[in-house]
Amino acid sequence: PDILSPKAMVELQRLCDKVPSYDSKIAFAMIEAELGKKIEDVYSEISPEPLAAASLGQVYKAKLKSTGEVVAVKVQRPGVLETVSLDLHIVRQLGYLLKKLPFLKDRTDLVALLDEF
Protein backbone atom coordinates (compact mmCIF):
# COMPACT_ATOMS: atom_id res chain seq x y z
CA PRO A 1 0.00 0.00 0.00
CA ASP A 2 1.04 3.59 -0.57
CA ILE A 3 2.33 5.50 2.44
CA LEU A 4 0.54 8.69 1.38
CA SER A 5 -3.00 8.86 0.11
CA PRO A 6 -3.64 10.05 -3.47
CA LYS A 7 -5.13 13.25 -2.05
CA ALA A 8 -1.97 13.94 -0.01
CA MET A 9 0.18 13.29 -3.10
CA VAL A 10 -1.83 15.83 -5.11
CA GLU A 11 -1.38 18.42 -2.36
CA LEU A 12 2.38 17.79 -2.21
CA GLN A 13 2.59 18.18 -5.99
CA ARG A 14 0.82 21.54 -5.75
CA LEU A 15 3.41 22.69 -3.20
CA CYS A 16 6.26 21.69 -5.52
CA ASP A 17 4.71 23.49 -8.49
CA LYS A 18 4.00 26.80 -6.71
CA VAL A 19 7.59 27.93 -6.42
CA PRO A 20 8.74 31.31 -7.74
CA SER A 21 11.53 31.39 -10.28
CA TYR A 22 14.96 32.66 -9.36
CA ASP A 23 17.02 35.26 -11.21
CA SER A 24 17.82 34.24 -14.80
CA LYS A 25 21.31 35.77 -14.45
CA ILE A 26 22.08 33.13 -11.84
CA ALA A 27 20.60 30.38 -14.02
CA PHE A 28 22.58 31.51 -17.08
CA ALA A 29 25.80 31.59 -15.04
CA MET A 30 25.08 28.03 -13.91
CA ILE A 31 24.49 26.92 -17.51
CA GLU A 32 27.79 28.46 -18.62
CA ALA A 33 29.66 26.89 -15.69
CA GLU A 34 28.19 23.48 -16.45
CA LEU A 35 28.87 23.65 -20.20
CA GLY A 36 32.21 25.42 -19.89
CA LYS A 37 31.11 27.79 -22.68
CA LYS A 38 29.26 31.05 -23.09
CA ILE A 39 25.53 30.69 -23.70
CA GLU A 40 25.79 32.46 -27.05
CA ASP A 41 28.36 29.85 -28.17
CA VAL A 42 25.87 27.02 -27.61
CA TYR A 43 22.45 28.57 -28.20
CA SER A 44 21.38 30.96 -30.94
CA GLU A 45 18.31 31.83 -28.85
CA ILE A 46 17.26 31.31 -25.25
CA SER A 47 14.18 32.64 -23.51
CA PRO A 48 15.06 35.53 -21.18
CA GLU A 49 12.75 34.17 -18.47
CA PRO A 50 11.96 30.57 -17.53
CA LEU A 51 8.95 28.86 -19.07
CA ALA A 52 8.40 26.99 -15.83
CA ALA A 53 9.80 26.89 -12.31
CA ALA A 54 9.47 24.22 -9.64
CA SER A 55 11.09 23.23 -6.39
CA LEU A 56 14.12 21.58 -8.01
CA GLY A 57 14.79 24.01 -10.85
CA GLN A 58 13.46 25.88 -13.84
CA VAL A 59 13.26 25.43 -17.60
CA TYR A 60 14.18 27.70 -20.51
CA LYS A 61 13.37 27.34 -24.20
CA ALA A 62 16.44 27.55 -26.42
CA LYS A 63 17.63 26.86 -29.95
CA LEU A 64 20.89 24.99 -30.47
CA LYS A 65 23.37 26.96 -32.51
CA SER A 66 24.83 23.81 -34.07
CA THR A 67 21.61 22.24 -35.42
CA GLY A 68 18.82 24.78 -35.01
CA GLU A 69 16.94 22.25 -32.88
CA VAL A 70 14.61 23.77 -30.26
CA VAL A 71 15.36 22.34 -26.82
CA ALA A 72 14.35 22.67 -23.19
CA VAL A 73 17.21 23.70 -20.93
CA LYS A 74 16.68 22.55 -17.35
CA VAL A 75 18.63 24.39 -14.68
CA GLN A 76 18.85 23.08 -11.13
CA ARG A 77 17.87 25.51 -8.40
CA PRO A 78 20.98 26.80 -6.55
CA GLY A 79 21.66 24.80 -3.39
CA VAL A 80 18.99 22.21 -4.15
CA LEU A 81 21.36 19.23 -3.99
CA GLU A 82 22.55 20.19 -0.52
CA THR A 83 19.01 20.89 0.69
CA VAL A 84 17.57 17.63 -0.66
CA SER A 85 20.53 15.63 0.70
CA LEU A 86 20.07 17.09 4.17
CA ASP A 87 16.30 16.56 4.04
CA LEU A 88 16.73 12.92 3.01
CA HIS A 89 19.28 12.35 5.79
CA ILE A 90 16.90 13.77 8.39
CA VAL A 91 13.92 11.79 7.10
CA ARG A 92 16.07 8.63 6.96
CA GLN A 93 17.00 9.08 10.64
CA LEU A 94 13.33 9.56 11.41
CA GLY A 95 12.64 6.36 9.46
CA TYR A 96 14.95 4.43 11.81
CA LEU A 97 12.95 5.69 14.77
CA LEU A 98 9.58 4.94 13.17
CA LYS A 99 10.77 1.47 12.19
CA LYS A 100 10.69 0.56 15.89
CA LEU A 101 6.98 1.32 16.24
CA PRO A 102 5.02 -1.95 16.19
CA PHE A 103 2.17 -0.70 13.97
CA LEU A 104 4.62 0.49 11.27
CA LYS A 105 7.25 -2.22 11.59
CA ASP A 106 5.41 -4.81 9.50
CA ARG A 107 3.66 -2.36 7.19
CA THR A 108 6.61 -0.74 5.41
CA ASP A 109 10.36 -0.20 5.62
CA LEU A 110 10.72 3.56 5.42
CA VAL A 111 14.53 3.43 5.40
CA ALA A 112 14.58 1.03 2.44
CA LEU A 113 12.02 3.21 0.67
CA LEU A 114 14.23 6.29 1.12
CA ASP A 115 17.32 4.39 0.03
CA GLU A 116 15.53 3.59 -3.24
CA PHE A 117 14.81 7.29 -3.74
Side-chain angles (χ1 to χ4, degrees), residues 16-29:
C16 290
D17 290 341
K18 291 185 179 179
V19 178
S21 62
Y22 57 93
D23 191 335
S24 290
K25 289 178 185 176
I26 295 170
F28 293 163

Side-chain angles (χ1 to χ4, degrees), residues 45-65:
E45 298 173 22
I46 189 164
S47 58
E49 297 299 321
L51 300 178
S55 58
L56 298 179
Q58 52 197 40
V59 180
Y60 293 86
K61 181 180 177 181
K63 186 183 282 190
L64 292 174
K65 200 170 197 176

Side-chain angles (χ1 to χ4, degrees), residues 60-78:
Y60 293 86
K61 181 180 177 181
K63 186 183 282 190
L64 292 174
K65 200 170 197 176
S66 60
T67 65
E69 181 182 9
V70 175
V71 296
V73 180
K74 295 181 185 178
V75 187
Q76 197 172 67
R77 189 171 286 276

